[in-house]
Amino acid sequence: MPVPLYQAKADLFRTLGHPVRIRVLELLQDGPLPVRDLLATIDIEASSLSQQLAVLRRAGIVTATREGPTVVYALSTADVADLMAAARSILTEVLAGQGELLAELRAAERG
């Protein structure tokens, strides 16, 4: 029996639900990067990064290619970068709304 679409979406968001995975996707938006560059940017043990990359690879969110001794990761589709941009946009709106509420609360305290 096929997985319902809502379940597949939930699985995708669960896969994205780790800060290191999100950071990797953010870094890969500018183009493919070798693991050594990811390690230099993300303060994490190599084995932990490898685990997170494997999760993203199994989900089909990133691809890995070997160039000699180097493994280079890339987003599997431009839609992943679009998803990261949409998340930023949503967060910007949410946080802007919270900032307005905070300003109102502070004004009420003073007044």
Side-chain angles (χ1 to χ4, degrees):
M1 178 169 222
V3 175
L5 181 57
Y6 63 85
Q7 182 64 50
K9 287 179 182 179
D11 291 343
L12 171 66
F13 283 108
R14 236 185 322 278
T15 298
L16 297 175
H18 192 286
V20 170
R21 293 180 211 147
I22 294 297
R23 186 67 182 125
V24 166
L25 297 177
E26 289 173 345
L27 292 169
L28 294 177
Q29 287 180 93
D30 294 330
L33 289 172
V35 173
R36 69 175 172 274
D37 290 0
L38 293 170
L39 273 172
T41 305
I42 303 172
D43 187 27
I44 188 173
E45 294 290 325
S47 61
S48 295
L49 179 59
S50 179
Q51 283 181 323
Q52 301 310 324
L53 289 168
V55 170
L56 291 170
R57 202 172 52 247
R58 278 193 304 272
I61 297 170
V62 300
T63 60
T65 54
R66 186 168 289 283
E67 296 177 4
T70 303
V71 178
V72 177
Y73 282 86
L75 298 179
S76 62
T77 174
D79 290 338
V80 177
D82 293 342
L83 181 60
M84 294 293 100
R88 277 192 304 278
S89 178
I90 292 166
L91 284 173
T92 299
E93 292 297 319
V94 168
L95 294 174
Q98 290 176 355
E100 292 169 10
L101 178 60
L102 180 59
E104 288 178 33
L105 288 171
R106 287 183 175 153
E109 286 177 353
R110 287 189 295 263

